[in-house]
Amino acid sequence: MADVSTTQPAARIAGTGHYVPEKVLTNLDLEKMVDTSDQWIVERTGIRERRIAAEGETTSDMAAEAARRALAKAELEATDIDLILVATVTPDMPLPSTAMFVQQKIGARADCPGFDLAAACAGFIYGLSIAEKYVRTGAAKNVLVIGVELLSRVLDWTDRGTCVLFGDGAGAVVVSPARDDGRGIASTHIYGDGRLAESLCIPAGGSREPASHETVDKNRHLVKMIGQDIFKVAVKNLTAASVTALEHNGLSPDDVDWVVPHQANSRILEGVSRRCGVPMDRFYINIDRFGNTSSASVPIALDEGVRNGTLKPGMNLLMCALGGGIAWGSALVRL
Ligand code: COA
């Protein structure tokens, strides 16, 4: 592994954690619910099964459990956290923020600020970018960044074009000041393009189309997606953001130990791999077991890889994600 990093990062990932619900929904289960097949889902997406939250389980429950696990790994108490960022498009409620429920559930300080950020599948990269800047400026010492989604409650279980793709789960990291060892968050780059805003959306339930009997009857409060619109830009934009991360840090594809990507579709990732020059055997993939968990997917993969020993201290990790908005971004982390 070449040591080509020129700058000392200001912030590092001090601990990681994730939580997924126990209930597994397989492609065979879905075959009984909609007109689909295990073969179609595996060939088109790489997904074999996904997790579904239990009745009564909330977004903040999952977020808090992932946060507790990340805090334990960082050897910090909840009271050491100075800011809580919750990336989600499936908050407990539209008001207040899920971050405030998490504050209470993990026992963070009662004056600890926190907010939700809605950047869909790119939410964790956006959160990491914000946390890095708070730590870099000294405005916060320890920032909790959580990506969490409970998409099963906003999916249209009669729409085979969307319901087979997504799953529930949470991932969390603690971002803390870097030590003087070259390890840490070397760069983050985030982007957005509102021209495709309605290609992936939940049309009703907000202020534009408030919830009503009619919106519910028409399933307008559930996820709508024009998958092909997203697919086309995903490969292009994820590649561009990944190449930018490498160039910014003076790294070549060979210097990347692992890509830890958003897990939306294995065909998208094969396209990114071909174009950015990092072979697929260095992409950390767990889409087969969890499906697309939106903002939770990168931190779930990160924590899983750390805990199973695949992602080791000192390795160069390239993270990239893209989703509704459309919003996308990349991060280069020396673990
Ligand atoms: N099972 C069986 N057939 C299905 C199906 C399913 N679950 N979902 C769609 N189909 C059918 C379609 O109806 C269509 O049939 P037709 O040709 O008779 O009209 C056919 O399969 C092809 O559909 P298409 O939408 O062209 O498939 P695709 O190859 O583009 O794959 C996605 C669909 C959703 C998997 C793909 O577009 C994708 O992954 N897009 C990006 C989605 C994404 O990343 N979203 C989240 C942002 S992070």
Side-chain angles (χ1 to χ4, degrees):
M1 188 178 65
D3 183 10
V4 287
S5 183
T6 48
T7 51
Q8 164 65 34
R12 71 190 167 104
I13 292 179
T16 61
H18 84 275
Y19 167 84
V20 288
E22 263 176 46
K23 185 181 169 187
V24 175
L25 185 73
T26 66
N27 291 351
L28 296 179
D29 296 328
L30 280 162
E31 282 184 2
K32 295 176 200 137
M33 297 162 66
V34 285
D35 180 15
T36 190
S37 67
D38 175 52
Q39 189 189 353
W40 190 96
I41 302 171
V42 173
E43 280 176 6
R44 298 293 179 114
T45 70
I47 302 167
R48 292 181 187 276
E49 58 186 45
R50 68 291 289 144
R51 300 300 179 99
I52 304 292
E55 209 182 322
E57 192 167 31
T58 63
T59 298
S60 62
D61 289 336
M62 296 196 296
E65 191 48 39
R68 286 184 201 104
R69 294 175 186 184
L71 283 164
K73 274 276 182 189
E75 297 180 6
L76 291 172
E77 302 295 330
T79 48
D80 295 320
I81 294 298
D82 304 307
L83 175 64
I84 301 169
L85 302 180
V86 178
T88 189
V89 290
T90 47
D92 281 15
M93 303 174 185
L95 172 75
S97 71
T98 301
M100 289 301 102
F101 293 116
V102 172
Q103 182 209 61
Q104 288 303 294
K105 286 181 182 175
I106 64 172
R109 294 194 309 269
D111 65 353
C112 177
F115 58 90
D116 294 1
L117 67 99
C121 305
F124 176 74
I125 303 287
Y126 269 57
L128 202 62
S129 166
I130 297 167
E132 193 272 339
K133 278 144 198 82
Y134 266 88
V135 172
R136 174 185 293 280
T137 59
K141 190 169 172 207
N142 300 307
V143 182
L144 192 53
V145 183
I146 304 167
V148 56
E149 302 293 357
L150 210 165
L151 286 155
S152 62
R153 303 247 170 92
V154 293
L155 290 176
D156 180 346
W157 290 101
T158 65
D159 174 15
R160 67 178 182 177
T162 51
C163 75
V164 305
L165 301 174
F166 298 97
D168 300 333
V173 300
V174 179
V175 176
S176 301
R179 298 178 177 133
D180 199 16
D181 57 5
R183 289 164 56 190
I185 304 167
S187 66
T188 58
H189 291 86
I190 57 172
Y191 307 92
D193 181 351
R195 287 174 297 181
L196 286 176
E198 289 177 46
S199 293
L200 178 49
C201 65
I202 297 176
S207 57
R208 179 160 128 186
E209 218 177 300
S212 67
H213 289 292
E214 195 190 347
T215 61
V216 173
D217 289 345
K218 291 182 173 165
N219 278 343
R220 304 266 306 157
H221 58 296
L222 303 176
V223 168
K224 308 276 178 251
M225 183 176 78
I226 306 168
Q228 286 188 347
D229 282 4
I230 309 275
F231 196 101
K232 278 181 210 145
V233 290
V235 176
K236 183 168 146 266
N237 292 358
L238 286 168
T239 302
S242 299
V243 169
T244 299
L246 294 182
E247 287 177 357
H248 180 90
N249 292 288
L251 297 172
S252 78
D254 288 345
D255 297 316
V256 176
D257 293 291
W258 284 95
V259 180
V260 184
H262 171 49
Q263 320 270 327
N265 185 317
S266 47
R267 286 187 298 140
I268 292 176
L269 298 178
E270 283 158 14
V272 175
S273 164
R274 271 194 305 275
R275 290 182 187 206
C276 78
V278 182
M280 271 305 270
D281 61 8
R282 282 192 270 136
F283 276 60
Y284 191 95
I285 306 283
N286 62 9
I287 190 173
D288 51 325
R289 285 173 292 121
F290 300 127
N292 179 348
T293 56
S294 188
S295 64
S297 86
V298 172
I300 289 175
L302 173 66
D303 183 53
E304 192 185 65
V306 166
R307 283 174 198 259
N308 68 24
T310 306
L311 311 178
K312 297 188 180 69
M315 282 184 165
N316 284 324
L317 307 185
L318 173 61
M319 300 172 185
C320 57
L322 175 141
I326 56 171
W328 72 101
S330 64
L332 200 295
V333 175
R334 179 163 295 173
L335 199 58

